[in-house]
Amino acid sequence: MGKLILECLKFKIPITPMPTPRPRLGRGGVVYNPKSYSDYKKALISFINVLNIEKADYDYIHARFYLPYPKTTSQKKRIEDFPLKTNFDCDNVIKGLCDALEQSKVIENDRCLYAMFVEKFRTTQDVGRIEFDLEIIDEEDGQ
């Protein structure tokens, strides 16, 4: 069974990634997300809308999340694209991006993506970024 990539779209969003937190339970049983995460997600949705990504049945996402070094890290120790093995889990950071893609009507549901590849890095820049590729893949031997 061969795979043929029909379309691969590449995007970059200049925003520092944030993991999806656990929902909080407020007064009266109301479930909510912290304000910092809600603001992050609104900004992410705005950036995605500006990119004007075509709605499609994407099969695969490759996402790269870049976080700035803490201010306490000396300039000599900062390395661009250094793999990030701490801070948060990959599944928590991709969830915010997938939810924003859904709410921007780029994808109908992230369940339709059959594969995700997620990477985390440090960046020497003051602001982080999110880079992601969306692919439509054709199975040559049928479904």
Side-chain angles (χ1 to χ4, degrees), residues 8 19 24 39 44 49 60-61 66 74 80 86 93 99 106 110 127:
C8 180
R24 307 284 200 274
D39 292 345
L44 196 53
N49 287 334
Y60 174 82
I61 185 169
Y66 294 85
S74 73
E80 185 67 25
T86 59
V93 76
D99 288 348
V106 173
D110 59 8
V127 177

PDB file of all heavy atoms in Angstrom, residues 8 19 24 39 44 49 60-61 66 74 80 86 93 99 106 110 127:
ATOM      1  N   CYS A   8       0.490  19.590   0.781  1.00  0.00           N
ATOM      2  CA  CYS A   8       1.174  19.865   2.047  1.00  0.00           C
ATOM      3  C   CYS A   8       1.248  21.379   2.207  1.00  0.00           C
ATOM      4  O   CYS A   8       1.913  22.061   1.421  1.00  0.00           O
ATOM      5  CB  CYS A   8       2.564  19.246   2.069  1.00  0.00           C
ATOM      6  SG  CYS A   8       3.444  19.578   3.615  1.00  0.00           S
ATOM      7  N   PRO A  19       0.372  25.002  26.823  1.00  0.00           N
ATOM      8  CA  PRO A  19      -0.353  23.733  26.913  1.00  0.00           C
ATOM      9  C   PRO A  19      -1.799  23.948  27.359  1.00  0.00           C
ATOM     10  O   PRO A  19      -2.104  24.933  28.031  1.00  0.00           O
ATOM     11  CB  PRO A  19       0.432  22.959  27.975  1.00  0.00           C
ATOM     12  CG  PRO A  19       1.045  24.015  28.821  1.00  0.00           C
ATOM     13  CD  PRO A  19       1.345  25.162  27.897  1.00  0.00           C
ATOM     14  N   ARG A  24     -11.179  24.187  35.027  1.00  0.00           N
ATOM     15  CA  ARG A  24     -11.433  24.508  36.428  1.00  0.00           C
ATOM     16  C   ARG A  24     -12.943  24.437  36.683  1.00  0.00           C
ATOM     17  O   ARG A  24     -13.740  24.635  35.776  1.00  0.00           O
ATOM     18  CB  ARG A  24     -10.953  25.922  36.765  1.00  0.00           C
ATOM     19  CG  ARG A  24      -9.515  26.203  36.389  1.00  0.00           C
ATOM     20  CD  ARG A  24      -8.567  25.557  37.380  1.00  0.00           C
ATOM     21  NE  ARG A  24      -7.244  26.139  37.358  1.00  0.00           N
ATOM     22  CZ  ARG A  24      -6.265  25.775  36.542  1.00  0.00           C
ATOM     23  NH1 ARG A  24      -6.468  24.863  35.641  1.00  0.00           N
ATOM     24  NH2 ARG A  24      -5.079  26.347  36.621  1.00  0.00           N
ATOM     25  N   ASP A  39      -7.217  33.604  26.611  1.00  0.00           N
ATOM     26  CA  ASP A  39      -6.621  34.674  25.807  1.00  0.00           C
ATOM     27  C   ASP A  39      -5.685  34.102  24.738  1.00  0.00           C
ATOM     28  O   ASP A  39      -5.676  34.554  23.590  1.00  0.00           O
ATOM     29  CB  ASP A  39      -5.848  35.659  26.695  1.00  0.00           C
ATOM     30  CG  ASP A  39      -6.774  36.459  27.605  1.00  0.00           C
ATOM     31  OD1 ASP A  39      -8.002  36.474  27.370  1.00  0.00           O
ATOM     32  OD2 ASP A  39      -6.247  37.069  28.563  1.00  0.00           O
ATOM     33  N   LEU A  44      -4.663  32.651  19.063  1.00  0.00           N
ATOM     34  CA  LEU A  44      -4.342  31.591  18.112  1.00  0.00           C
ATOM     35  C   LEU A  44      -5.402  31.499  17.011  1.00  0.00           C
ATOM     36  O   LEU A  44      -5.075  31.417  15.820  1.00  0.00           O
ATOM     37  CB  LEU A  44      -4.239  30.267  18.880  1.00  0.00           C
ATOM     38  CG  LEU A  44      -3.563  29.081  18.228  1.00  0.00           C
ATOM     39  CD1 LEU A  44      -2.172  29.430  17.724  1.00  0.00           C
ATOM     40  CD2 LEU A  44      -3.479  27.930  19.218  1.00  0.00           C
ATOM     41  N   ASN A  49      -7.222  32.563  11.466  1.00  0.00           N
ATOM     42  CA  ASN A  49      -8.174  33.212  10.552  1.00  0.00           C
ATOM     43  C   ASN A  49      -7.456  34.125   9.560  1.00  0.00           C
ATOM     44  O   ASN A  49      -7.821  34.178   8.391  1.00  0.00           O
ATOM     45  CB  ASN A  49      -9.234  33.979  11.336  1.00  0.00           C
ATOM     46  CG  ASN A  49     -10.233  33.053  12.002  1.00  0.00           C
ATOM     47  OD1 ASN A  49     -10.468  31.943  11.552  1.00  0.00           O
ATOM     48  ND2 ASN A  49     -10.812  33.505  13.097  1.00  0.00           N
ATOM     49  N   TYR A  60      -3.148  14.623   8.190  1.00  0.00           N
ATOM     50  CA  TYR A  60      -1.929  14.575   8.993  1.00  0.00           C
ATOM     51  C   TYR A  60      -1.504  15.983   9.386  1.00  0.00           C
ATOM     52  O   TYR A  60      -1.646  16.923   8.594  1.00  0.00           O
ATOM     53  CB  TYR A  60      -0.831  13.917   8.138  1.00  0.00           C
ATOM     54  CG  TYR A  60       0.544  13.904   8.727  1.00  0.00           C
ATOM     55  CD1 TYR A  60       0.920  12.943   9.660  1.00  0.00           C
ATOM     56  CD2 TYR A  60       1.498  14.839   8.333  1.00  0.00           C
ATOM     57  CE1 TYR A  60       2.200  12.926  10.191  1.00  0.00           C
ATOM     58  CE2 TYR A  60       2.782  14.821   8.856  1.00  0.00           C
ATOM     59  CZ  TYR A  60       3.119  13.866   9.785  1.00  0.00           C
ATOM     60  OH  TYR A  60       4.381  13.860  10.307  1.00  0.00           O
ATOM     61  N   ILE A  61      -1.008  16.129  10.603  1.00  0.00           N
ATOM     62  CA  ILE A  61      -0.453  17.403  11.037  1.00  0.00           C
ATOM     63  C   ILE A  61       0.929  17.153  11.634  1.00  0.00           C
ATOM     64  O   ILE A  61       1.131  16.198  12.390  1.00  0.00           O
ATOM     65  CB  ILE A  61      -1.374  18.125  12.057  1.00  0.00           C
ATOM     66  CG1 ILE A  61      -0.827  19.509  12.386  1.00  0.00           C
ATOM     67  CG2 ILE A  61      -1.586  17.298  13.309  1.00  0.00           C
ATOM     68  CD1 ILE A  61      -1.798  20.396  13.164  1.00  0.00           C
ATOM     69  N   TYR A  66       7.888  26.205  19.499  1.00  0.00           N
ATOM     70  CA  TYR A  66       9.143  26.830  19.913  1.00  0.00           C
ATOM     71  C   TYR A  66       8.888  27.738  21.110  1.00  0.00           C
ATOM     72  O   TYR A  66       8.085  28.671  21.027  1.00  0.00           O
ATOM     73  CB  TYR A  66       9.719  27.654  18.766  1.00  0.00           C
ATOM     74  CG  TYR A  66      10.133  26.811  17.588  1.00  0.00           C
ATOM     75  CD1 TYR A  66       9.220  26.432  16.614  1.00  0.00           C
ATOM     76  CD2 TYR A  66      11.449  26.382  17.451  1.00  0.00           C
ATOM     77  CE1 TYR A  66       9.594  25.652  15.531  1.00  0.00           C
ATOM     78  CE2 TYR A  66      11.840  25.604  16.367  1.00  0.00           C
ATOM     79  CZ  TYR A  66      10.900  25.245  15.418  1.00  0.00           C
ATOM     80  OH  TYR A  66      11.278  24.472  14.342  1.00  0.00           O
ATOM     81  N   SER A  74      21.662  32.082  30.538  1.00  0.00           N
ATOM     82  CA  SER A  74      22.680  32.967  29.953  1.00  0.00           C
ATOM     83  C   SER A  74      22.686  32.845  28.431  1.00  0.00           C
ATOM     84  O   SER A  74      22.358  31.795  27.872  1.00  0.00           O
ATOM     85  CB  SER A  74      24.070  32.638  30.506  1.00  0.00           C
ATOM     86  OG  SER A  74      24.545  31.427  29.959  1.00  0.00           O
ATOM     87  N   GLU A  80      19.570  27.644  19.414  1.00  0.00           N
ATOM     88  CA  GLU A  80      18.339  27.630  18.601  1.00  0.00           C
ATOM     89  C   GLU A  80      17.982  26.192  18.247  1.00  0.00           C
ATOM     90  O   GLU A  80      18.853  25.370  17.964  1.00  0.00           O
ATOM     91  CB  GLU A  80      18.536  28.469  17.337  1.00  0.00           C
ATOM     92  CG  GLU A  80      17.293  28.613  16.492  1.00  0.00           C
ATOM     93  CD  GLU A  80      16.185  29.437  17.153  1.00  0.00           C
ATOM     94  OE1 GLU A  80      16.461  30.290  18.026  1.00  0.00           O
ATOM     95  OE2 GLU A  80      15.019  29.211  16.787  1.00  0.00           O
ATOM     96  N   THR A  86      11.240  19.189  28.675  1.00  0.00           N
ATOM     97  CA  THR A  86      10.563  19.528  29.926  1.00  0.00           C
ATOM     98  C   THR A  86       9.411  20.484  29.621  1.00  0.00           C
ATOM     99  O   THR A  86       9.069  20.698  28.474  1.00  0.00           O
ATOM    100  CB  THR A  86      11.550  20.209  30.902  1.00  0.00           C
ATOM    101  OG1 THR A  86      12.061  21.394  30.277  1.00  0.00           O
ATOM    102  CG2 THR A  86      12.687  19.292  31.275  1.00  0.00           C
ATOM    103  N   VAL A  93      -0.010  20.415  24.337  1.00  0.00           N
ATOM    104  CA  VAL A  93       0.235  21.596  23.500  1.00  0.00           C
ATOM    105  C   VAL A  93      -0.428  21.453  22.123  1.00  0.00           C
ATOM    106  O   VAL A  93      -0.909  22.424  21.557  1.00  0.00           O
ATOM    107  CB  VAL A  93       1.752  21.909  23.421  1.00  0.00           C
ATOM    108  CG1 VAL A  93       2.479  20.968  22.511  1.00  0.00           C
ATOM    109  CG2 VAL A  93       1.993  23.342  23.022  1.00  0.00           C
ATOM    110  N   ASP A  99      -7.748  22.399  18.611  1.00  0.00           N
ATOM    111  CA  ASP A  99      -9.010  23.058  18.974  1.00  0.00           C
ATOM    112  C   ASP A  99      -9.165  24.382  18.226  1.00  0.00           C
ATOM    113  O   ASP A  99     -10.256  24.715  17.749  1.00  0.00           O
ATOM    114  CB  ASP A  99      -9.084  23.302  20.476  1.00  0.00           C
ATOM    115  CG  ASP A  99      -9.306  22.030  21.277  1.00  0.00           C
ATOM    116  OD1 ASP A  99      -9.621  20.987  20.672  1.00  0.00           O
ATOM    117  OD2 ASP A  99      -9.163  22.079  22.516  1.00  0.00           O
ATOM    118  N   VAL A 106     -11.158  25.270  10.004  1.00  0.00           N
ATOM    119  CA  VAL A 106     -10.175  24.716   9.060  1.00  0.00           C
ATOM    120  C   VAL A 106     -10.369  23.212   8.974  1.00  0.00           C
ATOM    121  O   VAL A 106     -10.329  22.624   7.898  1.00  0.00           O
ATOM    122  CB  VAL A 106      -8.731  25.056   9.492  1.00  0.00           C
ATOM    123  CG1 VAL A 106      -7.716  24.334   8.623  1.00  0.00           C
ATOM    124  CG2 VAL A 106      -8.502  26.561   9.444  1.00  0.00           C
ATOM    125  N   ASP A 110     -10.724  17.156  15.068  1.00  0.00           N
ATOM    126  CA  ASP A 110      -9.366  16.619  15.050  1.00  0.00           C
ATOM    127  C   ASP A 110      -9.345  15.087  15.062  1.00  0.00           C
ATOM    128  O   ASP A 110      -8.311  14.483  14.822  1.00  0.00           O
ATOM    129  CB  ASP A 110      -8.500  17.203  16.171  1.00  0.00           C
ATOM    130  CG  ASP A 110      -9.034  16.950  17.559  1.00  0.00           C
ATOM    131  OD1 ASP A 110     -10.001  16.192  17.716  1.00  0.00           O
ATOM    132  OD2 ASP A 110      -8.463  17.530  18.499  1.00  0.00           O
ATOM    133  N   VAL A 127      10.049  35.855  21.567  1.00  0.00           N
ATOM    134  CA  VAL A 127       8.689  35.329  21.456  1.00  0.00           C
ATOM    135  C   VAL A 127       8.759  33.966  20.779  1.00  0.00           C
ATOM    136  O   VAL A 127       9.505  33.771  19.820  1.00  0.00           O
ATOM    137  CB  VAL A 127       7.791  36.280  20.628  1.00  0.00           C
ATOM    138  CG1 VAL A 127       6.404  35.699  20.448  1.00  0.00           C
ATOM    139  CG2 VAL A 127       7.705  37.639  21.293  1.00  0.00           C
TER     140      VAL A 127
END
